[in-house]
Amino acid sequence: KNIDNLCFKSQSKHNTSSVAVKSEIAQRKDQTDTIAERNPFYVLQEERLEQAERSVLINCPPKTNEKKFLKHLSSHGEINTCFFYESFGTYALVEFSKKESIASLQEGTIIPSIQHEATVPFKSRLVSLKLNNPGDLSSVPSSIQCLRQSAIPINELVQRLSGADTIDQQLYTLTETYQLTEDNVRLRFLVCSLLKDIAAAYFPECTVKLFGSSVNGFGKLGCDLDMFLDLDGISGRKSKKTAGPFTLEYQMKRVSSERAATQKILSVIGECIDQFGPGCVGVQKILNARCPLVRFAHQPSGFQCDLTANNRIAIKSSELLYLYGSLDARVRALVFTVRCWARAHAITSSIPGAWITNFSLAMMVIFFLQKRDPPIIPTLDQLKGLAGPTDKQLIEGHDCTFVSNINRINTTENTETLEQLLKEFFEFYGNFSFSKMSINIRKGKEQSKPDVSPLHIQNPFEQPLNVSKNVNQTQLERFVSLARDSAWILQQDGMSHPLGAGAQPWGLAALLLPSASQTGGKGKKRRKREPASERIKSLLESLKNNKPNSANGNGRR
Ligand code: GTP
Ligand code: MG
């Protein structure tokens, strides 16, 4: 009856749009609240996106006076946060308390008048600060302090780690040094929100979401920005037929498949980013990939961006990794460390190819931690068993159900140190039967390989797929050989104890040196020795028999 009244009121006042919009907003807010209540991962996304919508990115002249700048901006409303950074010039990310401030700022923003060239008048939240009287401010020394948005070079990291007291401390230091900062996360969501404004030119109700390492808890400063154009809110797949004799349905172009629709949409949005997107350069439309995408560089933020569409399962993978990373501090520390180790030895690469990916490495770490005794993290099937009714999710026929409430998951009784875990990780994969077995985080058990790919890691949600299908035998062998070498290095005397503060690279720091596999991290040339596989075998034999480690005596020091 209430609904009838509402319809009647709106019709009688000829004010359908405003009432309908209000009720739609209220309804959406209800939905958001329900999502927010039940799922911390989505709470984070919703909050960050909302913050981003109240934010602008401002290119500032090198000698901007911060105080005067903030005073000028605060004429548009209260400022919540502001920080500066460098990326093809100096930029400020300014977050206002209220969204209205953005409208006010845009109201007072002018379109540049350029001689001999023309501009595409697309008004975004990426603006430039111009000095009306350059003479006024140029005498004022710049008070801007720019925050770093990229990771420190590996040699600086090695130095930093060498000063730590324990290997555990080294792993935590590495994580803290490399993880995304609060500011960097804000910048990531702002770029996502700027992209949404471009896509909204075609699809006003679309959302653009972040997935991958920007949000899964394993992102390293400088990692790419994986975005997903979500049109589900408008696709109406979930809407039901209305009661009564009629239902109105949109007339829409038809295409042969979901994939064809995604390709068309991305092609147009890609074109729009290329033609109108301020700061977006090097736009490539990679539409024939298994997962079609638009790749480009966003210069004002310095991010390499991948925009996909219709990619909800990837968001679920990100949520799963986020959950695992939140369960126990050792998970993130080990994933960060293994990723950094792999990058230092060129096991992973920023160029796509037959290399192991960071995503696969995270899966390998998760699998390893599930196999500890007692396990450090539960299997995906166990997480599914703990799911509540609102966690049920079927995406494109794939069961993506798992618990979202972390409090329902028991904490582990495993007390192994990170030092132990790192050693064991290298030994585990140094000896894993890759030729026969597949890694399966759903079951937490290796299973017979269903095909001949050198490395088989079952996709947790699209179970017939292998997430490391791209990896060739050579790359797998390099990984195994380095894992064996690293296990061996960590077993050496003196590796667990620094010789003094600021000593030579030791422990994890030694493992990250490019020459680690040849020198054992001691900076001295290792004598010619038997293959790594032989060494590790004898090492394991000696450990089993509890004899003194024969490998220690082979001229390592
Ligand atoms: P970075 O190397 O730090 O960017 O890690 P990432 O986790 O963001 O990896 P990437 O940018 O390559 O991929 C983004 C997301 O796409 C991942 O986090 C996964 O959720 C998903 N993804 C990547 N590769 C695969 C794959 O081979 N299979 C599946 N199913 N999903 C993948
Ligand atoms: Mg990524």
Side-chain angles (χ1 to χ4, degrees):
K1 201 176 174 193
N2 285 344
I3 292 171
D4 286 349
N5 283 346
L6 189 69
C7 292
F8 177 72
K9 254 192 230 161
S10 62
Q11 282 160 11
S12 65
K13 285 188 178 171
H14 297 278
N15 191 14
T16 39
S17 57
S18 86
V19 175
V21 167
K22 268 184 205 156
S23 78
E24 196 196 328
I25 289 172
Q27 200 183 339
R28 273 212 228 145
K29 189 162 173 359
D30 282 353
Q31 280 169 4
T32 320
D33 286 350
T34 334
I35 292 170
E37 265 167 39
R38 77 179 164 86
N39 194 325
F41 180 76
Y42 291 107
V43 177
L44 185 113
Q45 292 248 349
E46 296 282 344
E47 281 179 4
R48 292 291 189 181
L49 274 174
E50 194 273 325
Q51 274 178 351
E53 289 192 355
R54 292 184 268 114
S55 306
V56 280
L57 209 49
I58 306 180
N59 179 225
C60 301
K63 286 195 171 173
T64 308
N65 182 290
E66 187 176 351
K67 255 191 180 168
K68 290 189 180 179
F69 170 69
L70 291 177
K71 190 166 169 230
H72 175 76
L73 287 180
S74 51
S75 65
H76 301 292
E78 191 191 5
I79 295 169
N80 262 4
T81 309
C82 170
F83 70 90
F84 297 87
Y85 65 92
E86 299 274 353
S87 171
F88 298 92
T90 305
Y91 279 87
L93 184 154
V94 181
E95 182 199 301
F96 288 98
S97 301
K98 299 211 172 92
K99 208 176 163 186
E100 294 88 89
S101 303
I102 301 290
S104 159
L105 181 141
Q106 284 183 318
E107 184 91 348
T109 302
I110 58 165
I111 292 180
S113 57
I114 301 172
Q115 281 176 349
H116 313 302
E117 277 179 316
T119 51
V120 179
F122 176 76
K123 292 180 176 176
S124 74
R125 278 176 288 137
L126 177 62
V127 300
S128 297
L129 182 77
K130 299 285 171 190
L131 302 179
N132 288 342
N133 301 304
D136 276 3
L137 291 174
S138 57
S139 56
V140 182
S142 166
S143 57
I144 292 178
Q145 240 206 334
C146 286
L147 300 182
R148 192 187 182 104
Q149 303 300 325
S150 56
I152 58 168
I154 186 98
N155 53 337
E156 267 181 55
L157 177 77
V158 164
Q159 244 181 354
R160 200 174 282 189
L161 298 184
S162 302
D165 291 334
T166 62
I167 291 188
D168 277 49
Q169 214 181 68
Q170 289 186 321
L171 270 84
Y172 284 125
T173 304
L174 182 145
T175 311
E176 277 158 30
T177 308
Y178 271 177
Q179 71 192 354
L180 303 182
T181 57
E182 166 72 22
D183 308 319
N184 195 263
V185 172
R186 272 174 204 270
L187 187 55
R188 283 172 185 271
F189 276 91
L190 176 52
V191 174
C192 188
S193 163
L194 295 176
L195 250 286
K196 187 220 148 168
D197 289 351
I198 296 178
Y202 283 98
F203 304 105
E205 294 147 275
C206 74
T207 52
V208 176
K209 294 184 171 129
L210 275 182
F211 68 101
S213 55
S214 300
V215 289
N216 67 17
F218 301 121
K220 173 185 162 188
L221 280 170
C223 68
D224 69 355
L225 198 66
D226 302 295
M227 289 173 284
F228 152 57
L229 174 66
D230 190 357
L231 300 176
D232 266 11
I234 30 176
S235 70
R237 262 176 237 142
K238 289 173 204 145
S239 54
K240 291 183 192 132
K241 283 190 178 174
T242 48
F246 301 114
T247 298
L248 287 175
E249 147 182 305
Y250 286 105
Q251 288 198 10
M252 284 175 166
K253 285 251 182 202
R254 285 170 193 227
V255 285
S256 56
S257 64
E258 198 71 56
R259 179 177 166 85
T262 301
Q263 286 169 325
K264 276 186 196 295
I265 292 165
L266 281 180
S267 172
V268 169
I269 302 291
E271 203 55 35
C272 208
I273 294 172
D274 195 16
Q275 304 292 335
F276 308 144
C280 301
V281 300
V283 180
Q284 300 172 57
K285 297 191 228 169
I286 309 170
L287 303 178
N288 286 325
R290 189 181 78 81
C291 182
L293 73 142
V294 175
R295 177 164 288 171
F296 59 96
H298 187 258
Q299 281 193 332
S301 62
F303 294 136
Q304 185 65 35
C305 304
D306 280 351
L307 178 69
T308 55
N310 198 10
N311 198 6
R312 282 183 304 141
I313 292 188
I315 297 231
K316 255 347 235 186
S317 311
S318 306
E319 187 192 333
L320 180 66
L321 294 193
Y322 172 82
L323 185 74
Y324 275 129
S326 316
L327 283 178
D328 189 296
R330 290 171 292 181
V331 181
R332 287 181 72 233
L334 205 58
V335 171
F336 266 95
T337 301
V338 170
R339 283 182 171 197
C340 179
W341 164 85
R343 190 73 191 92
H345 296 290
I347 289 175
T348 50
S349 165
S350 53
I351 308 158
W355 294 273
I356 298 179
T357 61
N358 275 335
F359 182 60
S360 294
L361 284 176
M363 304 289 278
M364 289 168 98
V365 173
I366 286 168
F367 182 70
F368 162 74
L369 295 175
Q370 290 173 335
K371 297 232 4 152
R372 303 307 298 155
D373 185 18
I376 293 185
I377 46 177
T379 67
L380 179 51
D381 271 347
Q382 287 165 339
L383 292 179
K384 184 180 157 186
L386 294 170
T390 50
D391 293 324
K392 285 216 162 66
Q393 214 164 354
L394 196 71
I395 304 176
E396 291 153 25
H398 301 286
D399 188 355
C400 298
T401 305
F402 61 89
V403 63
S404 57
N405 183 351
I406 197 169
N407 300 325
R408 291 204 194 165
I409 307 167
N410 286 337
T411 44
T412 176
E413 282 169 13
N414 182 307
T415 55
E416 285 173 291
T417 63
L418 278 170
E419 177 178 348
Q420 281 169 307
L421 290 172
L422 187 62
K423 278 181 197 163
E424 298 276 342
F425 173 85
F426 290 133
E427 278 178 21
F428 181 79
Y429 284 112
N431 292 291
F432 191 82
S433 178
F434 288 108
S435 59
K436 296 199 187 87
M437 303 312 259
S438 154
I439 290 167
N440 183 331
I441 69 157
R442 185 167 275 281
K443 303 267 169 248
K445 269 198 200 126
E446 47 267 58
Q447 292 186 315
S448 295
K449 249 184 3 182
D451 61 41
V452 292
S453 350
L455 174 60
H456 196 281
I457 303 175
Q458 197 187 79
N459 186 317
F461 299 119
E462 295 165 276
Q463 293 181 42
L465 299 182
N466 171 12
V467 302
S468 51
K469 199 172 167 217
N470 62 311
V471 177
N472 66 18
Q473 190 63 34
T474 314
Q475 291 306 321
L476 177 66
E477 279 168 15
R478 288 191 57 233
F479 170 81
V480 171
S481 154
L482 263 154
R484 288 175 179 180
D485 278 6
S486 299
W488 193 84
I489 290 167
L490 283 175
Q491 294 293 342
Q492 301 310 292
D493 277 353
M495 288 311 284
S496 319
H497 306 289
L499 301 169
Q504 280 193 36
W506 69 278
L508 174 59
L511 285 191
L512 299 179
L513 293 176
S515 54
S517 57
Q518 285 100 48
T519 64
K522 289 285 179 180
K524 285 179 196 166
K525 277 244 154 87
R526 188 192 275 187
R527 261 200 258 141
K528 228 179 168 191
R529 53 187 166 80
E530 73 252 51
S533 51
E534 288 307 314
R535 285 197 323 278
I536 200 78
K537 249 189 232 158
S538 71
L539 169 74
L540 290 174
E541 279 308 316
S542 70
L543 285 176
K544 258 191 229 154
N545 301 335
N546 212 11
K547 279 187 212 147
N549 183 357
S550 59
N552 269 345
N554 82 344
R556 302 267 302 154
R557 276 164 286 141

